[in-house]
Amino acid sequence: MRDRGRLRRGPPCARRPGPPRLTASPISEIPLEESRHYALRKIVKTLSPRLLLTSLLCALCSQPPASGGPAAAKHNVLFLFADDQRADTIAALGNPVIRTPSLDLLARGGIAFNRAYMQGGMNAATCMPSRAMLLSGQSLFRIDERLMRDETWPAAFGRAGYTTFMSGKWHNGAASLPRSFQIARSVFVGGMTDPMRAKLGDMKDGRLGKPQIAPKHACEIFADEAIRFLKEHKGGPFFCYVPFDAPHDPHIVPEDFPIRYDPETIPVPPNFLPQHPFDNGEMAIRDELLLPWPRTPDNVRALIAEYYRYISYLDAQIGRVLDALQASPFAKDTIVVFAADSGVARGSHGLIGKQNAYEHSMRVPLIISGPGIAAGKTTEAMCYLFDVMPTLGALCGVPAPAGSEGLDFSATLRDPSRPARHRILLAYKTAQRALRDERWKLLRFPLVDRTLLFDLQTDPSETINLAGMDGHAQKVVELTAAMEEEMRQFGDTAPLKVAEPKPAEWTPPAKDTKPEIKGNAKPAAP
């Protein structure tokens, strides 16, 4: 459906007029009563007229403003964040192979977004800008990746009276950690590592101490620290942020973890290719060297089997944290968020990594549950990761920090049929730009002068390029104009055409090329 609205004023997050209603779908395999995070409300059926009038007046006087603000309740927040987890890797949301019982239960107690996106990256380590966008509420083209320039959303929660805590991966530089969180334990500063030998440090007196090699898997330690925080916290609202470093490669799981996947039972992605059909501007980055060319179905299945096992292990650690929350006095007044910093290709379109603008790499899982939030639903509302913290701020009465430009989609949490954004702009370096609306997606590769057009309604896996087919030229023109408009609004100055594009043909590097190893990390097994 074409976006007919125009922004007349304000930042890119402003709402456009005339939003269409969306379809909200139920998640119905487990009874709602079994969810850890959905509290049934008692209904008082009989009240005296005087008591009824008094109750109504009190409710009207205490009603918070629609956009949150100081009058909103100070709910607790538990934010669980994965690393490189595709949106299609949760059983309750449609994956028939993977086992994710904890995330399944969370989804059935809340609302799952089918169209949440990270906006992209200006460098290959897209985890870094993704986390900066999330924590600042700013778009890709305005963020300070080191989080030193502006106040972050966790800092704003702290200023509003919250106890702020984190344990996990911090990819935005050690100096910015104490600017955002009051308490930080077992922190891994960096992008990737061997999780069985991760170097973790605690923050003391406003500084991150010398890291020590962890005695067990980093994800288990991060979960331990979150559980400890929930047990030790005595009172007042809290913001607990647990950014795991899984399932980022290397896909290392403790040997005694019982869940394993037989590669033979795993289907290859529907958009599997032996090689990407042209040079997308980032064809031989470290991630792409995890498997040789041409990609084979057997190699891809083996890689996905490792990947799924790591996700199931992460799910087990998340379940431990959710169990601790359920056993705490905070269970009924805590908003729980699960999301990931990016997706990843793992064989889709002949790619392995996340340095591309296809759906499998830019679309992320997003599940939110808690008081006042629809339960057991999915929504087609579109949003960015940097919209999540402004929404939590609205729900919790926390004023936005300066520079935050994300959209408050709390109305969608109450009514999953309510739309959020009407268009999504995606970017990778200057090599790729993409724009999607409710139905169509346009990808532009200016360095090689290639354009792709997909009808996501009939081709969600992006396999049929309509750009050069009869009857679609006008749609390319319309979406290109829409892309240019979104780029202007976000301050993206990259060109969509270059004077001398290079040839689109690409030849893989020598077969003995190995992925670069950083620190004590190991590449995933082929």
Side-chain angles (χ1 to χ4, degrees):
M1 182 170 62
R2 234 184 117 187
D3 178 15
R4 300 179 184 274
R6 293 275 182 171
L7 281 180
R8 298 177 183 269
R9 56 188 294 182
C13 61
R15 290 186 179 275
R16 295 177 170 88
R21 303 291 283 185
L22 302 175
T23 301
S25 303
I27 303 171
S28 58
E29 292 182 18
I30 293 181
L32 203 55
E33 292 80 5
E34 294 182 19
S35 169
R36 294 182 173 104
H37 311 293
Y38 181 77
L40 294 175
R41 294 179 175 84
K42 295 181 179 180
I43 301 174
V44 179
K45 296 183 178 179
T46 58
L47 289 172
S48 68
R50 179 177 295 178
L51 183 56
L52 178 60
L53 178 60
T54 302
S55 300
L56 288 172
L57 288 174
C58 289
L60 288 172
C61 292
S62 63
Q63 187 71 19
S67 60
K74 288 187 177 297
H75 303 295
N76 306 307
V77 176
L78 173 61
F79 202 124
L80 306 166
F81 204 42
D83 193 347
D84 289 6
Q85 182 168 345
R86 286 175 58 134
D88 60 0
T89 56
I90 298 173
L93 301 182
N95 189 311
V97 176
I98 202 164
R99 281 173 273 176
T100 52
S102 301
L103 292 177
D104 295 349
L105 202 54
L106 184 62
R108 292 176 185 127
I111 179 170
F113 285 70
N114 289 330
R115 299 194 290 188
Y117 292 83
M118 67 90 75
Q119 196 171 35
M122 293 296 122
N123 61 71
T126 62
C127 301
M128 188 176 185
S130 180
R131 289 156 192 260
M133 285 185 276
L134 171 75
L135 297 175
S136 68
Q138 297 174 4
S139 67
L140 175 64
F141 312 100
R142 298 190 178 101
I143 52 167
D144 166 22
E145 291 189 357
R146 294 286 175 177
L147 295 176
M148 295 294 289
R149 184 187 65 207
D150 303 318
E151 183 183 46
T152 63
W153 269 101
F157 270 81
R159 179 166 43 82
Y162 276 68
T163 298
T164 59
F165 169 86
M166 76 83 62
S167 178
K169 172 176 169 176
W170 185 259
H171 201 183
N172 303 96
S176 60
L177 181 61
R179 292 169 57 93
S180 292
F181 290 93
Q182 300 159 2
I183 308 168
R185 294 193 296 260
S186 296
V187 179
F188 166 61
V189 178
M192 60 179 292
T193 189
D194 178 347
M196 298 299 293
R197 294 181 54 80
K199 294 180 179 180
L200 309 180
D202 296 343
M203 189 171 71
K204 297 179 181 179
D205 300 323
R207 298 188 65 179
L208 196 60
K210 183 179 179 179
Q212 303 293 325
I213 295 179
K216 57 184 178 180
H217 199 286
C219 288
E220 185 177 352
I221 293 177
F222 302 152
D224 289 346
E225 294 287 11
I227 293 167
R228 174 185 165 190
F229 173 79
L230 292 171
K231 289 181 176 179
E232 293 180 352
H233 185 68
K234 299 304 181 186
F238 63 78
F239 182 90
C240 177
Y241 175 59
V242 192
F244 295 95
D245 64 340
H248 193 299
D249 73 281
H251 304 145
I252 297 175
V253 173
E255 283 297 323
D256 61 353
F257 183 63
I259 295 179
R260 296 178 183 273
Y261 294 91
D262 179 358
E264 295 298 321
T265 67
I266 294 177
V268 296
N271 45 19
F272 166 79
L273 289 174
Q275 180 179 315
H276 194 263
F278 58 87
D279 186 352
N280 70 359
E282 198 71 285
M283 294 293 287
I285 195 70
R286 186 205 70 87
D287 298 36
E288 297 304 327
L289 301 179
L290 293 175
L291 287 183
W293 290 272
R295 323 300 195 187
T296 67
D298 286 347
N299 280 351
V300 167
R301 288 190 187 100
L303 185 63
I304 294 175
E306 287 183 353
Y307 181 59
Y308 280 10
R309 186 169 187 245
Y310 204 177
I311 291 172
S312 291
Y313 178 74
L314 172 63
D315 182 84
Q317 305 312 313
I318 288 173
R320 294 175 57 227
V321 178
L322 296 180
D323 285 343
L325 175 65
Q326 183 65 21
S328 78
F330 315 116
K332 293 184 179 181
D333 196 28
T334 298
I335 297 170
V336 180
V337 181
F338 171 77
D341 61 3
S342 73
V344 72
R346 294 298 181 263
S348 294
H349 292 103
L351 303 170
I352 303 301
K354 59 200 172 188
Q355 294 83 7
N356 63 84
Y358 291 112
E359 294 288 289
H360 48 69
S361 295
M362 292 292 193
R363 195 166 67 90
V364 296
L366 176 61
I367 303 171
I368 305 178
S369 72
I373 296 172
K377 300 290 185 180
T378 62
T379 179
E380 300 302 314
M382 292 190 293
C383 67
Y384 294 110
L385 272 180
F386 66 81
D387 295 328
V388 176
M389 292 301 296
T391 300
L392 294 176
L395 294 173
C396 297
V398 175
S404 176
E405 59 184 305
L407 173 77
D408 166 18
F409 57 74
S410 55
T412 303
L413 297 179
R414 295 186 291 270
D415 177 3
S417 67
R418 291 283 297 271
R421 291 186 179 268
H422 291 245
R423 296 189 296 217
I424 294 290
L425 176 70
L426 307 171
Y428 181 70
K429 294 187 175 180
T430 59
Q432 304 175 38
R433 291 294 181 274
L435 181 108
R436 74 151 299 168
D437 61 17
E438 293 289 345
R439 176 175 177 178
W440 301 92
K441 184 172 179 181
L442 183 78
L443 291 93
R444 178 67 185 156
F445 302 83
L447 302 185
V448 294
D449 194 24
R450 288 294 181 96
T451 300
L452 305 179
L453 174 67
F454 298 111
D455 181 351
L456 296 179
Q457 182 174 297
T458 60
D459 180 26
S461 297
E462 301 168 293
T463 61
I464 304 172
N465 179 21
L466 303 173
M469 295 186 181
D470 292 343
H472 293 92
Q474 185 57 35
K475 180 58 66 176
V476 171
V477 171
E478 292 173 2
L479 290 177
T480 300
M483 180 183 290
E484 291 172 340
E485 178 188 344
E486 292 292 303
M487 290 172 68
R488 284 193 298 270
Q489 291 174 358
F490 279 114
D492 179 9
T493 59
L496 293 180
K497 293 183 179 180
V498 297
E500 297 182 5
K502 63 181 182 179
E505 292 74 22
W506 181 81
T507 301
K511 291 185 178 181
D512 60 351
T513 303
K514 301 293 183 182
E516 178 187 358
I517 306 302
K518 299 180 179 181
N520 58 359
K522 301 177 182 178

